[in-house]
Amino acid sequence: MTRHDERFVRYLKSKEVVDDRALHRPTMSTLVDELSDRADARPGEPLRVVSVGAGTGAMCRRFLSWGVFDAYDDVKYVMVDRRKGMADRAAAAFAEWSQEAGWEAAPTVDGFQIERHGRRVSLTYVTGDLFDATVVLPKAIDLAIAHAVLDVLPLNRAIESLVSRLTEDGLFYAPITFDGRTTFRPSHNADDEILDAYHDSMEDENSSGAETGSDLLSALPMADTSILSAGGSDWVVHPPYSDEERFFLSRILGFVKESVGSNGGVGETTLRGWLDTRHKQLEAEELTYVAHNLDVLAKLD
Ligand SMILES: C[S@@+](CC[C@H](N)C(=O)[O-])C[C@H]1O[C@@H](n2cnc3c(N)ncnc32)[C@H](O)[C@@H]1O
């Protein structure tokens, strides 16, 4: 992994606490109810989950810690991410977590398995593009998860490829899907210019763009699914910060710098002045950041 990748992994780790409090609980409760009904209707069957753009697998660890999969004794969880080296980082994160959480971990031919109190989760990592991976996956996914990733994908194509692999009544869960609003406080006179350029940079022929969260609400029903639940999962980070939150905010400023800087629409002096001010405010524990996201849960019709 390059230093850039290492920093990205560190960012994903710092994002976990921000996601923990942001996730829309009514939508997660609906997911838990759906999984429970599904387990009752198909006794003895495992839960087969595919998570695309899975990073280090934070959502799987969170779901196991929070009891979201408790209706199942047997979970088969496939993670797909195209970034090389992420599989090793995921394995390391699961090894550390499983030890702390009291799960016994053992390697398998294509990943590893964790077990606790008679419950078994087999974890497989696929390093590759989700569009290639979904083609070869059997049409046997009970739950497809796209966590904080749909905004960097062509939305309809991503939905279509995942929905096409769902089993009958299969579920599609898209938590922390960016939805077009970024705010920093205190306000700065270049905010509009910088943040408009930041949002514009998210849109090209391969990315769904800044309003992916809202777009999901119309795209999913057109893909033979019905929305069961949806709601805001905004990131809100304000002082005083934990170390993780401080790092998270520094990376968000880094993302603004990289995307607005390469976009060319904002003058260099304006961008540099805005970033200097924001970094000083971060240092002085004065910076507040809000990003609007949506969580959406849908079911195959
Ligand atoms: C913002 S990260 C989110 C990671 C993880 N879901 C989380 O929230 O912790 C998005 C991830 O999607 C992956 N990704 C982006 N496009 C992808 C594609 N076409 N196929 C597979 N993975 C992709 C990236 O490599 C990155 O790890």
Side-chain angles (χ1 to χ4, degrees):
M1 263 201 163
T2 62
R3 258 189 62 230
H4 181 262
D5 289 333
E6 292 292 343
R7 200 171 52 173
F8 186 68
V9 168
R10 173 83 178 85
Y11 159 71
L12 292 183
K13 174 90 185 86
S14 74
K15 186 168 90 65
E16 288 183 31
V17 285
V18 183
D19 281 357
D20 279 350
R21 61 173 181 254
L23 284 160
H24 188 247
R25 298 307 197 267
T27 298
M28 198 182 287
S29 296
T30 307
L31 174 62
V32 171
D33 293 345
E34 285 290 325
L35 292 179
S36 170
D37 291 350
R38 204 174 169 85
D40 288 346
R42 298 166 165 84
E45 279 190 25
L47 176 68
R48 289 154 302 186
V49 186
V50 171
S51 172
V52 295
T56 65
M59 194 54 90
C60 181
R61 292 188 294 282
R62 177 181 289 114
F63 274 6
L64 291 169
S65 296
W66 291 5
V68 173
F69 296 147
D70 275 5
Y72 285 87
D73 287 337
D74 189 6
V75 179
K76 300 194 184 308
Y77 200 106
V78 178
M79 290 169 272
V80 181
D81 200 295
R82 68 178 173 189
R83 198 178 278 245
K84 290 199 177 63
M86 199 58 103
D88 291 342
R89 303 309 300 250
F94 272 98
E96 189 184 333
W97 171 85
S98 55
Q99 204 169 24
E100 276 169 22
W103 290 77
E104 265 179 47
T108 57
V109 266
D110 52 2
F112 53 103
Q113 183 165 289
I114 56 172
E115 278 193 51
R116 189 177 70 167
H117 309 314
R119 296 184 63 225
R120 192 171 55 238
V121 182
S122 71
L123 297 147
T124 311
Y125 210 100
V126 178
T127 299
D129 193 273
L130 84 92
F131 296 108
D132 300 330
T134 43
V135 170
V136 295
L137 284 172
K139 189 176 159 57
I141 305 176
D142 300 309
L143 169 63
I145 299 178
H147 168 209
V149 66
L150 288 174
D151 58 316
V152 299
L153 299 171
L155 185 62
N156 291 324
R157 194 173 158 218
I159 291 175
E160 206 177 293
S161 65
L162 287 167
V163 165
S164 73
R165 309 329 292 156
L166 289 177
T167 50
E168 198 188 338
D169 293 335
L171 298 162
F172 182 98
Y173 179 56
I176 316 286
T177 306
F178 185 60
D179 196 36
R181 185 152 183 258
T182 307
T183 314
F184 289 95
R185 289 289 182 272
S187 51
H188 184 288
N189 58 16
D191 277 347
D192 287 350
E193 190 181 351
I194 303 270
L195 297 176
D196 285 352
Y198 178 50
H199 295 153
D200 286 350
S201 75
M202 296 177 187
E203 197 148 352
D204 59 33
E205 71 275 15
N206 293 314
S207 302
S208 313
E211 293 186 3
T212 305
S214 292
D215 290 342
L216 259 180
L217 298 173
S218 56
L220 280 166
M222 289 195 304
D224 298 328
T225 69
S226 299
I227 291 169
L228 301 180
S229 180
S233 50
D234 295 358
W235 284 339
V236 183
V237 183
H238 57 84
Y241 322 119
S242 64
D243 289 348
E244 294 297 342
E245 289 173 319
R246 193 173 297 104
F247 185 82
F248 176 82
L249 286 181
S250 73
R251 281 317 302 141
I252 297 292
L253 294 179
F255 295 146
V256 175
K257 180 182 175 189
E258 287 151 24
S259 47
V260 175
S262 59
N263 184 290
V266 175
E268 214 184 301
T269 317
T270 306
L271 178 59
R272 200 173 328 114
W274 186 89
L275 284 166
D276 281 351
T277 304
R278 291 316 190 190
H279 278 291
K280 281 185 190 134
Q281 289 166 339
L282 175 60
E283 192 82 3
E285 301 247 337
E286 285 168 0
L287 184 65
T288 289
Y289 164 70
V290 180
H292 177 52
N293 304 307
L294 286 186
D295 291 1
V296 181
L297 176 67
K299 188 176 186 172
L300 192 61
D301 290 334

